[in-house]
Amino acid sequence: MRVGIHSGFTFLSFRAKSRNLLLFPETFRDVSTPLDMTKQRAFQRAVLGWYRERGRDLPWRRTRDPYAVLVSEFMLQQTQVGTVLPHYKDWLQRFPNFAALARASEAEVLHAWQGLGYYNRARNLHATAKIVATRHCEHFPRSIDQLQQLPGVGKYTAHAIATFAFDQPVAIIEANTSRLLSRLLDLRIPIDSTAGRNALWNSASALTPKKAPAAYNSALLDLGALVCLPRQPKCGICPVKRFCRAKNPKSLPIKRPRPGTKQLVEKHAFVVEHDKVLLEKSPARWRGMWILPPVKLDGFKPSSLPHPIYTAVFPFTNHRVALKVFRQRLRQIDNGKCWFPFRKLDSIPIPSPHRRAIDALLGLNVSSVHAQR
């Protein structure tokens, strides 16, 4: 099957590798002209030339160490570069290689991850380190198939490691590159559909050069992050604007409508005795971390609770959580709960929303991590 695009835009015409792509709307015609290699090379030269002058100098771009690249990719999932930078340096100092991370306890790993959120990434990174250290004798796999068998490594992460650690000529598609390519292609199908994803991966693969693919992919990421912005793209300074066929570059790529964001309410207790605070090891969302104990109503109605002494709202995956904290006195301490001296709070893994609540309620700077999710 061939992908259809505007008849005037033969530069990015390509034969789709997938046979399962949906046809574009009838306003598009099927184009059988193969990729124009001359314009493809011009596009690549423009991208790489801009990157040499304007690309970001990021620490994970100064290394080909698979471990350092893997750490950066896990940290950058759903997290901005500015948030990752200080955590990345600290992490590598604390866990400089697969062996060091594999030897660490889960509590140490979660504590080091504080401020980055989405803690399953830390657990998956820890599990991957153990696999590499034991099964692979610290030799990191190079093939895409082997990489995707590691915990938490999907298609994008596998391709990113392959290109940034091993300079393999493979495409990468994430938020920035998908926005850039969908505008270049003037893609009119949802980019989060199977058809849209296939179209983006196929077009990106067709454009990826065999020479200097790591620099090229870094350039696309930076173009999306610095120039081809979501709301106000800087088309006037875009180095590839002559190749772009978007009629309205300020419009965002089409996505399928999402259900409304839900807000969940979580009630927790603040129990203090002298210079200690009571915490509970979370069995669910914050598994392996210490949180303020959930409030148990024991048959009483929620309306019987006093006013919360602390309230905060924070995002969590596809919903928002309203954290409400109530002052309470517990008559007995259940299993899983433990008293912690104030001075020890900075050395245990506590999720950022709960740590901020403790900080505010104690009125002390007990945390060195104040990063927002």
Side-chain angles (χ1 to χ4, degrees), residues 29-86:
R29 71 177 182 82
D30 185 35
V31 178
S32 58
T33 306
L35 185 67
D36 186 325
M37 297 304 294
T38 301
K39 291 185 178 179
Q40 176 179 328
R41 293 192 186 96
F43 175 81
Q44 294 165 352
R45 285 195 299 270
V47 167
L48 288 168
W50 175 87
Y51 180 67
R52 282 191 293 270
E53 294 182 3
R54 304 294 176 87
R56 293 176 291 184
D57 180 19
L58 301 173
W60 45 86
R61 291 180 176 172
R62 304 174 203 150
T63 180
R64 291 292 175 86
D65 177 11
Y67 173 73
V69 172
L70 178 72
V71 169
S72 71
E73 290 302 329
F74 268 72
M75 287 187 172
L76 288 165
Q77 291 171 7
Q78 298 178 299
T79 306
Q80 294 182 347
V81 168
T83 302
V84 169
L85 283 170

Side-chain angles (χ1 to χ4, degrees), residues 347-364:
S347 63
I348 62 173
I350 302 173
S352 295
H354 286 251
R355 190 176 288 279
R356 289 194 293 270
I358 295 170
D359 257 357
L361 293 170
L362 292 181
L364 298 172

Side-chain angles (χ1 to χ4, degrees), residues 73 124 164 185 218 331:
E73 290 302 329
N124 286 331
F164 297 135
L185 287 164
S218 295
R331 297 179 180 178

Side-chain angles (χ1 to χ4, degrees), residues 127-274:
T128 292
K130 291 180 178 179
I131 291 172
V132 173
T134 55
R135 297 184 197 172
H136 298 283
C137 300
E138 296 191 47
H139 294 292
F140 197 65
R142 299 174 66 99
S143 75
I144 298 292
D145 289 340
Q146 284 183 310
L147 288 169
Q148 288 189 266
Q149 293 175 19
L150 297 171
V153 177
K155 185 175 183 179
Y156 164 76
T157 303
H159 280 233
I161 295 167
T163 192
F164 297 135
F166 306 121
D167 210 25
Q168 295 182 22
V170 294
I172 57 173
I173 290 293
E174 47 74 75
N176 289 315
T177 54
S178 65
R179 182 171 61 253
L180 175 68
L181 290 174
S182 62
R183 282 170 171 165
L184 281 166
L185 287 164
D186 200 16
L187 196 62
R188 300 299 182 86
I189 53 177
I191 62 172
D192 54 353
S193 65
T194 300
R197 284 190 293 268
N198 285 341
L200 287 171
W201 277 103
N202 287 332
S203 60
S205 297
L207 287 169
T208 303
K210 296 188 181 300
K211 184 178 180 180
Y216 169 83
N217 281 320
S218 295
L220 290 189
L221 288 168
D222 282 5
L223 274 174
L226 304 176
V227 178
C228 196
L229 304 176
R231 300 290 177 183
Q232 296 293 328
K234 302 176 182 179
C235 299
I237 62 170
C238 180
V240 294
K241 60 184 177 182
R242 67 183 184 275
F243 304 108
C244 184
R245 298 302 298 176
K247 290 184 176 180
N248 181 15
K250 292 185 179 181
S251 65
L252 291 174
I254 301 171
K255 292 186 178 181
R256 292 172 295 183
R258 300 288 187 184
T261 301
K262 295 181 180 180
Q263 179 163 300
L264 305 179
V265 178
E266 292 186 353
K267 301 179 176 69
H268 293 264
F270 182 64
V271 186
V272 174
E273 183 178 282
H274 303 300

Side-chain angles (χ1 to χ4, degrees), residues 76-145:
L76 288 165
Q77 291 171 7
Q78 298 178 299
T79 306
Q80 294 182 347
V81 168
T83 302
V84 169
L85 283 170
H87 292 278
Y88 178 76
K89 180 180 178 181
D90 292 343
W91 183 278
L92 291 183
Q93 288 178 342
R94 189 167 182 176
F95 311 115
N97 49 46
F98 286 111
L101 182 55
R103 287 193 300 266
S105 67
E106 183 178 86
E108 290 176 309
V109 171
L110 294 176
H111 181 262
W113 195 266
Q114 285 178 137
L116 288 168
Y118 303 100
Y119 288 89
N120 271 340
R121 295 179 298 168
R123 296 186 183 97
N124 286 331
L125 183 55
H126 193 202
T128 292
K130 291 180 178 179
I131 291 172
V132 173
T134 55
R135 297 184 197 172
H136 298 283
C137 300
E138 296 191 47
H139 294 292
F140 197 65
R142 299 174 66 99
S143 75
I144 298 292
D145 289 340

